[in-house]
Amino acid sequence: MSLPLSLLDLAPISEGQSISDALSNSRELAKQAERSGYQRVWLAEHHGMHGVASSATAVMLGNIAGATNHIRVGAGGVMLPNHAPLVIAEQFGTLETLYPGRIDLGLGRAPGTDMATAKALRRNLNGNAHVDTYPDDIKELQHYLGTPEPGQKIIAVPGANTHIPLWLLGSSLYSAQLAASVGLPYSFASHFAPDQLFDALHVYRSMFTPSDTQESPYVMAGVMAVVADTDEEAQYLFTSVQQQFMNMRRGLNKPFAKPVDDLSAICSEADHAMLSHVLRYALVGSKATVAAQFAKFIEATEVDEVIVSMPIHNLEARLKSVALLAEINI
């Protein structure tokens, strides 16, 4: 098995650790991913979450790119409705200027937070928050990152002429259709929203229209992975993200939980059903166990690339999981 393998990082703020620790951990994770041969490291934009430190995504990416040498670095993704396209063009144009040929820009449509926090981000001040401007915002962003036209009044400096690769991210058929219509690579969030994975892949591939930047469909899918020396250790480490999903289901905003010996003591039948459903594509176990799970996922989806989230509380165990998964993928 050999296909591009990338890493998705949310800069988890682990229980018992600080935000400073989370930011430092993300830097170490990216360095390990580079050593292990990963294609890219992406940071996801979230706001107001006590377990996630990646809210200022572009700022974090500068730190990650500066700590590494050649691995691609990008947003997975920037939630474009939160931002003016010109601001994103300037931010990522700056990153591309500092780290040429290494920057990706993945775009999402969701706010990445609750509605009160989304309102506080103050993107929509004109009372038209219900209007879907996402497709137009993408075109505007492409315009700023491309070659300026004669007489163009608004120029992104830095940003113009950088031609930063854009990706569309999503967990629905809407994003698949949009990515296909504009001819951009597509990444599906099957690591937390698996329901429409195969429908979205079919829609994207069957409706794809070639563009100046992308001649044929290119799709990446997300999985969670916890790889350890034994299946038992991996299942133990996996209880952290299981608790995170249980907390979110209950409306609890908490740091990323420490693993527990017996999840069943705090997990109801409804919780168990929810976890089995939403985390159905999680790769959990020893190298041998995960190798079989990974091969099955790739065979079923025929994706061009896999992006992996490593939801592990302890940094050393997280780094080891990154390394072990890369060994499986060789």
Side-chain angles (χ1 to χ4, degrees):
M1 179 193 310
S2 180
L3 82 168
L5 183 64
S6 296
L7 189 66
L8 176 65
D9 183 18
L10 274 67
I13 306 170
S14 295
E15 181 182 359
Q17 296 189 346
S18 67
I19 296 175
S20 178
D21 292 330
L23 300 180
S24 176
N25 291 349
S26 286
R27 192 166 56 245
E28 294 306 310
L29 195 69
K31 291 161 68 175
Q32 179 61 62
E34 183 170 75
R35 288 193 297 268
S36 296
Y38 283 65
Q39 177 85 357
R40 62 189 95 239
V41 175
W42 281 2
L43 274 292
E45 176 188 345
H46 290 275
H47 299 276
M49 297 180 68
H50 295 314
V52 177
S54 56
S55 56
T57 315
V59 177
M60 282 200 66
L61 292 177
N63 188 33
I64 296 299
T68 52
N69 297 307
H70 57 79
I71 193 169
R72 296 194 67 86
V73 174
V78 161
M79 301 296 105
L80 194 54
N82 294 340
H83 311 279
L86 178 60
V87 172
I88 298 304
E90 291 173 340
Q91 290 177 351
F92 280 78
T94 300
L95 287 168
E96 174 64 23
T97 303
L98 290 169
Y99 306 101
R102 294 182 57 199
I103 304 301
D104 296 326
L105 178 48
L107 303 172
R109 182 174 174 239
T113 187
D114 59 88
M115 289 300 102
T117 305
K119 185 177 180 180
L121 289 167
R122 302 178 187 273
R123 170 75 202 281
N124 291 293
L125 297 178
N126 59 5
N128 291 327
H130 64 286
V131 177
D132 182 13
T133 62
Y134 184 50
D136 291 333
D137 289 343
I138 293 169
K139 292 179 182 178
E140 184 180 350
L141 179 57
Q142 287 178 309
H143 182 64
Y144 292 138
L145 295 174
T147 301
E149 300 171 354
Q152 182 173 322
K153 293 183 178 180
I154 302 174
I155 309 291
V157 183
N161 289 309
T162 56
H163 305 284
I164 297 167
L166 298 185
W167 293 66
L168 293 196
L169 282 56
S171 57
S172 69
L173 301 187
Y174 172 94
S175 56
Q177 291 171 337
L178 183 57
S181 69
V182 296
L184 289 176
Y186 178 55
S187 182
F188 189 87
S190 40
H191 58 295
F192 72 87
D195 287 349
Q196 293 186 301
L197 170 61
F198 290 96
D199 288 340
L201 295 181
H202 173 73
V203 165
Y204 173 68
R205 288 166 173 154
S206 64
M207 297 180 63
F208 185 84
T209 302
S211 66
D212 293 340
T213 58
Q214 192 72 33
E215 294 183 356
S216 58
Y218 189 93
V219 63
M220 176 164 63
V223 298
M224 290 190 181
V226 178
V227 193
D229 289 332
T230 66
D231 289 350
E232 292 75 19
E233 182 185 1
Q235 289 293 343
Y236 167 72
L237 296 172
F238 189 53
T239 61
S240 290
V241 75
Q242 290 174 311
Q243 292 176 79
Q244 182 187 40
F245 274 87
M246 289 163 58
N247 287 334
M248 288 191 295
R249 183 173 182 268
R250 295 165 183 168
L252 302 176
N253 190 348
K254 291 185 173 183
F256 191 66
K258 296 178 180 178
V260 294
D261 291 318
D262 183 11
L263 187 70
S264 63
I266 57 173
C267 181
S268 67
E269 288 188 13
D271 290 329
H272 179 73
M274 178 272 294
L275 292 172
S276 297
H277 177 77
V278 75
L279 298 176
R280 73 179 82 166
Y281 296 127
L283 313 175
V284 183
S286 65
K287 283 177 62 175
T289 297
V290 168
Q293 297 169 346
F294 200 15
K296 184 178 180 180
F297 180 81
I298 294 168
E299 181 181 6
T301 60
E302 298 182 314
V303 292
D304 301 293
E305 187 171 338
V306 172
I307 189 163
V308 184
S309 171
M310 295 280 182
I312 300 172
H313 180 275
N314 176 269
L315 176 61
E316 292 306 315
R318 200 182 312 163
L319 298 177
K320 184 173 183 178
S321 183
V322 169
L324 289 175
L325 185 65
E327 293 172 9
I328 291 169
N329 193 47
I330 294 174

